[in-house]
Amino acid sequence: MGRLTEVAALGSGARAARWAGSPPTLLLLSPTSPGCAATMASSDEDGTNGGASEAGEDREAPGKRRRLGLLATAWLTFYNIAMTAGWLVLAIAMVRFYMEKGTHRGLYKSVQKTLKFFQTFALLEIVHCLIGIVPTSVLVTGVQVSSRIFMVWLITHSIKPIQNEESVVLFLVAWTVTEITRYSFYTFSLLDHLPYFIKWARYNFFIILYPVGVAGELLTIYAALPYVKKTGMFSIRLPNKYNISFDYYYFLLITMASYIPLFPQLYFHMLRQRRKVLHGEVIVEKDD
């Protein structure tokens, strides 16, 4: 499905930088300030060491935390700049292809290497959570990133007959605009210079792009069903020595059905975050 959730950036500068990691297909907006990164990566001294040794460690710890915070911020800034540039390259390639060919047929094949590289590179966002430089749930980020990987590698790449479907263009366009906006938002936040237009785009474009991206993904999976059922690809049949079975066709049906309860929840969550960030509304969300 895509990265559907995020913690909204409620301020600029160091506070906004806190969300500079994992992202959002449905758009996937996912959310470190140097202090936050340092705090997660280095625990405070517990006072169990005595004498001069403890005093020396107390003097060194703040410096280490600052260096770690600066290193994390520098890496995240580089990462988000690189991802912004990568998706911009993809967008330019898509526009150029359509202007030259006048058709969407062959579009995916022409941009697939760039798409696969940068979407797979996003696996680093899980690593960012694991090592603590981005205070986001590893599970949530993992689901968001893996859903995109699933669409790229296990659907569009693996099932070549669907690569010229119009639905592929739908999610490609939605993903591309989304990611350019998202990663540029993170970059400017980390640099403490967030233009209002980027912030506005971040919390308005999704209103159209989320449904378009979801529609493209669902229609692409639907188009893949006949081929998957006919070929039995990625399925495991009985009998076998492991005595297990797996039907990829029914797995895809379950995946499509999962969009029904998940998309509305996440979409309306983003609408609430939009009101909070752009209009300053205080939103009190009930715990389930």
Side-chain angles (χ1 to χ4, degrees):
M1 186 184 316
R3 294 170 286 177
L4 292 167
T5 61
E6 75 167 3
V7 178
L10 299 178
S12 59
R15 186 171 62 178
R18 191 171 300 164
W19 295 279
S22 156
T25 302
L26 291 176
L27 234 94
L28 298 183
L29 308 174
S30 49
T32 197
S33 66
C36 179
T39 300
M40 298 184 69
S42 176
S43 61
D44 293 333
E45 297 298 323
D46 59 10
T48 56
N49 296 325
S53 175
E54 181 182 14
E57 289 173 355
D58 285 341
R59 285 195 299 270
E60 291 177 4
K64 289 180 179 179
R65 287 195 291 268
R66 282 196 297 271
R67 287 194 295 272
L68 180 59
L70 290 173
L71 182 61
T73 301
W75 162 251
L76 289 173
T77 301
F78 167 78
Y79 172 81
N80 285 293
I81 289 174
M83 294 297 277
T84 302
W87 286 94
L88 274 171
V89 168
L90 184 64
I92 293 170
M94 291 170 61
V95 172
R96 180 180 299 173
F97 178 90
Y98 192 81
M99 290 180 65
E100 292 177 354
K101 307 294 184 180
T103 177
H104 71 280
R105 301 186 66 84
L107 173 63
Y108 177 83
K109 185 177 181 180
S110 71
V111 301
Q112 61 177 331
K113 290 183 179 179
T114 305
L115 173 66
K116 292 172 184 175
F117 177 83
F118 284 100
Q119 189 56 71
T120 305
F121 196 55
L123 286 169
L124 283 176
E125 293 170 17
I126 300 176
V127 178
H128 295 162
C129 297
L130 285 171
I131 64 178
I133 65 173
V134 174
T136 306
S137 166
V138 175
L139 177 60
V140 171
T141 302
V143 170
Q144 293 174 338
V145 174
S146 62
S147 63
R148 287 282 193 91
I149 299 295
F150 169 76
M151 282 300 303
V152 169
W153 288 102
L154 297 182
I155 298 294
T156 321
H157 167 77
S158 301
I159 308 173
K160 291 180 171 52
I162 67 169
Q163 292 180 357
N164 287 324
E165 293 286 334
E166 291 87 347
S167 57
V168 173
V169 179
L170 282 181
F171 76 73
L172 277 181
V173 171
W175 287 11
T176 302
V177 178
T178 292
E179 299 299 58
I180 291 172
T181 305
R182 184 167 66 89
Y183 286 117
S184 60
F185 174 89
Y186 294 149
T187 300
F188 285 114
S189 295
L190 282 163
L191 296 174
D192 200 14
H193 292 287
L194 179 62
Y196 180 78
F197 172 74
I198 298 295
K199 181 180 178 181
W200 180 90
R202 171 75 163 160
Y203 289 98
N204 280 285
F205 285 2
F206 81 90
I207 296 174
I208 299 298
L209 294 176
Y210 272 31
V212 170
V214 168
E217 293 170 26
L218 285 173
L219 290 172
T220 299
I221 297 174
Y222 180 78
L225 289 176
Y227 180 86
V228 172
K229 188 173 185 179
K230 179 180 179 181
T231 63
M233 64 181 298
F234 299 150
S235 298
I236 303 173
R237 308 297 187 191
L238 291 172
N240 59 70
K241 63 179 180 179
Y242 301 107
N243 198 34
I244 59 174
S245 65
F246 172 75
D247 196 309
Y248 191 52
Y249 175 81
Y250 288 105
F251 173 79
L252 293 182
L253 290 177
I254 294 172
T255 299
M256 293 177 67
S258 71
Y259 279 68
I260 298 174
L262 292 177
F263 172 70
Q265 295 182 48
L266 297 170
Y267 187 70
F268 287 116
H269 169 76
M270 281 304 302
L271 288 175
R272 290 192 294 271
Q273 295 303 322
R274 175 180 179 271
R275 296 200 303 271
K276 183 189 300 183
V277 173
L278 297 183
H279 304 295
E281 294 186 20
V282 177
I283 308 294
V284 179
E285 296 189 19
K286 297 180 181 179
D287 293 331
D288 293 331

Coordinates of all heavy atoms in Angstrom, one line a residue, residues 47 70 105 169:
G47 N 25.9 7.6 37.4 CA 26.4 8.0 38.7 C 27.0 6.8 39.5 O 27.4 7.0 40.6
L70 N 25.2 16.1 15.5 CA 25.7 16.8 14.3 C 25.9 15.8 13.2 O 25.5 16.1 12.0 CB 26.9 17.6 14.6 CG 26.8 18.8 15.5 CD1 28.1 19.5 15.8 CD2 25.9 19.9 14.8
R105 N 2.9 4.0 -22.9 CA 3.4 2.6 -23.1 C 4.9 2.7 -23.2 O 5.5 3.4 -24.0 CB 2.8 2.0 -24.4 CG 1.3 1.9 -24.4 CD 0.7 1.2 -25.6 NE 1.1 -0.2 -25.6 CZ 0.5 -1.2 -24.9 NH1 -0.6 -0.9 -24.2 NH2 0.9 -2.4 -25.0
V169 N 1.0 4.2 -14.3 CA 1.3 5.7 -14.5 C 0.6 6.4 -13.3 O 1.2 7.4 -12.8 CB 0.8 6.2 -15.8 CG1 1.1 7.7 -15.9 CG2 1.4 5.4 -17.0

